[in-house]
Amino acid sequence: MERYDIAMGIVRVTEAAALSCSKLLGRGSVELIEKAAVDGVRHAFELLPIKGRVVIGECELDKCPILYIGEKVGMWEDGQEEFDIAADPLDGSILVAKGSPNAISAIAVSKKGGIFRAPQIYMQKIAVGPKAKGSIDINLSLKENIYNIADSLNKDVKEITVMIQDRQRHEKLIKEAREIGVRVKLFKEGDVAAALATAFEDTGVDMLIGIGGAPEGVLAAAALKCLRGEIQVKLLPENERQIEMCKRAGIEDISRVLEIEDLITEDDVYFAATAITDCDILKGITYKQDIVKTHSVVMRYETGVVRFVDATHKLDSSLLNIREDFKLYKKV
C-alpha cells in the first residue's frame, strides 16, 4: 500500500517553530527563544497524523522545554505509521538572539529505524552537492579534496567556494584553504543551513568542511540524501564516556567513515526547513501587521520532489497562532 505523503505536514512543524521564536528576534534571550521553538514544534506535531518518536533531539531525559530523545510526537492514532524523528527546532539560537543570518528550524522524518541515533558529540564533516558527488574522501587532505571537486565541477580551483564554521578549532583549516586559493565563506552558527547550501547552484557554495555537532550532521545527511548530494563524517569522541556513547549507537570502530547510507538507512525519508533569518537558500520571516511570511523547503527522497514553500500566515485565523506572550496555541 502506498504511504501517505506527509511532506506538507512536516513543513508546518518547522513553520510553527520558526513563527513561535521569530517574535523574539534580536532580544538576546537564547533560553526563551529555544523554548519558543520547541513549543512550536510540539504543538504542530499534534496535527500530524503519524506515530513519531524523537531519535535525535536535545537529551535523553524528559526536561521541558527540551525536545527529548524518546519523546512521542504526532497523533498516535490506530492505523498510523511509525516514524523516526530527527529535529532541531532552532539551529542557530544565538543568531536569532542577535538578529543575525543563517538561523533555521529543521526536521528529518524517516520510516522507523531509518535514522542513525547520533550521540551528542562532535563529528568531522565534508559535504558537497549532487554535481560533485563521488569526488570527496574525508581521509584525503583538504587540497586533494578541493582539486577533486574542482575537476568534477569543471571549475578552476580559484572558483571553488568552501564553507567553514568560524571557530578557533578551524583556524588551521581556514588558513590552508586560503593558501590553496579557494574562496572561503565563514559562518558563525547553523551547520544544517551551511550543508544545504552546497546542494543548490544559486548559492555558489561548493563544499562544506569542518567539525560540528553530530546530530546536525545527521539532519544534513537527510537533506543531502533527498537532494542526491554527499556527506562523509567521522565521530570525534573526546573521552571514554563519549566513546561508550558511540558504541551504544552501534559504532565499534570509532575511526570508521560514515556515509549517507549509514546515517539515513531508509529511502522513505523527508526533510524540511524554515528560515527564521535569511540564509543562502531561504528568506527569513517577515512581519506586516498581522500577516507573517515564511519561506521553507521540503523534500522527499522516494519521489525526488523538492518544494519551496512561500507561505502567508494570517495570525488571527491560523490553526497555529502566536499570542503576545509568545506562546503557541491551537486556534479553536
Side-chain angles (χ1 to χ4, degrees):
M1 184 174 70
E2 187 175 352
R3 298 185 184 96
Y4 171 64
D5 191 332
I6 55 174
M8 296 310 295
I10 291 170
V11 81
R12 291 188 186 101
V13 174
T14 56
E15 284 177 348
L19 286 167
S20 188
C21 69
S22 63
K23 277 200 170 184
L24 298 169
L25 181 73
R27 299 197 182 184
S29 175
V30 170
E31 184 178 351
L32 192 59
I33 289 166
E34 289 178 343
K35 181 183 186 306
V38 172
D39 286 346
V41 166
R42 282 204 174 108
H43 283 278
F45 262 123
E46 293 177 8
L47 304 175
L48 195 60
I50 65 168
K51 295 180 179 179
R53 192 175 295 278
V54 176
V55 298
I56 289 182
E58 302 295 337
C59 67
E60 296 180 353
L61 300 174
D62 183 357
K63 294 182 179 179
C64 191
I66 299 301
L67 197 70
Y68 65 91
I69 296 171
E71 181 172 351
K72 291 168 67 173
V73 294
M75 290 182 174
W76 278 82
E77 294 180 354
D78 290 344
Q80 292 175 349
E81 191 171 0
E82 292 190 44
F83 288 92
D84 282 354
I85 309 294
D88 195 342
L90 178 51
D91 184 26
S93 55
I94 294 174
L95 300 176
V96 178
K98 294 181 177 180
S100 301
N102 222 39
I104 66 171
S105 175
I107 184 173
V109 177
S110 173
K111 181 181 175 182
K112 184 180 179 181
I115 296 177
F116 172 61
R117 303 187 178 205
Q120 295 276 351
I121 65 173
Y122 281 118
M123 64 167 44
Q124 181 184 353
K125 309 172 189 178
I126 182 171
V128 293
K131 289 194 173 181
K133 186 176 181 179
S135 66
I136 58 173
D137 184 337
I138 200 169
N139 288 321
L140 294 180
S141 68
L142 175 63
K143 185 174 182 178
E144 288 173 301
N145 275 301
I146 286 172
Y147 273 82
N148 289 340
I149 291 169
D151 285 343
S152 69
L153 297 176
N154 195 27
K155 288 184 175 183
D156 187 275
V157 167
K158 293 181 180 179
E159 297 175 322
I160 297 296
T161 300
V162 179
M163 290 275 277
I164 306 174
Q165 192 171 21
D166 190 5
R167 290 287 186 270
Q168 187 175 356
R169 63 179 177 267
H170 292 147
E171 284 181 357
K172 183 178 177 182
L173 187 67
I174 293 166
K175 181 181 178 182
E176 185 181 356
R178 287 170 173 166
E179 289 174 349
I180 292 168
V182 297
R183 294 180 294 205
V184 179
K185 187 172 183 179
L186 302 180
F187 65 99
K188 291 290 185 182
E189 306 280 345
D191 291 39
V192 180
L196 266 175
T198 65
F200 294 90
E201 287 188 60
D202 290 347
T203 67
V205 176
D206 301 299
M207 173 188 184
L208 167 71
I209 193 164
I211 295 170
E216 290 82 1
V218 175
L219 276 162
L224 288 170
K225 178 166 183 170
C226 291
L227 294 165
R228 275 58 177 179
E230 183 176 11
I231 186 170
Q232 295 178 8
V233 306
K234 281 185 176 181
L235 294 170
L236 299 175
E238 298 176 354
N239 50 48
E240 286 299 321
R241 183 181 67 85
Q242 291 190 358
I243 289 173
E244 286 303 313
M245 291 168 66
C246 295
K247 290 180 178 179
R248 288 199 300 271
I251 306 299
E252 293 291 334
D253 180 5
I254 303 302
S255 64
R256 176 184 164 194
V257 176
L258 302 177
E259 303 189 24
I260 280 184
E261 297 306 320
D262 299 305
L263 302 175
I264 307 295
T265 60
E266 290 284 344
D267 286 344
D268 189 25
V269 60
Y270 300 79
F271 175 86
T274 301
I276 297 98
T277 58
D278 291 346
C279 61
D280 285 291
I281 68 163
L282 297 171
K283 295 175 290 186
I285 290 178
T286 56
Y287 282 81
K288 186 177 180 180
Q289 296 176 341
D290 68 337
I291 299 295
V292 184
K293 292 186 177 181
T294 59
H295 194 209
S296 308
V297 63
V298 60
M299 55 194 81
R300 185 184 186 187
Y301 177 79
E302 276 196 336
T303 61
V305 173
V306 178
R307 294 182 176 94
F308 283 92
V309 182
D310 286 301
T312 299
H313 307 264
K314 190 169 175 59
L315 293 182
D316 63 0
S317 60
S318 175
L319 286 175
L320 291 167
N321 205 346
I322 308 171
R323 295 200 304 251
E324 285 306 312
D325 60 359
F326 312 116
K327 292 180 180 178
L328 200 76
Y329 72 101
K330 289 189 298 180
K331 191 171 183 69
V332 294

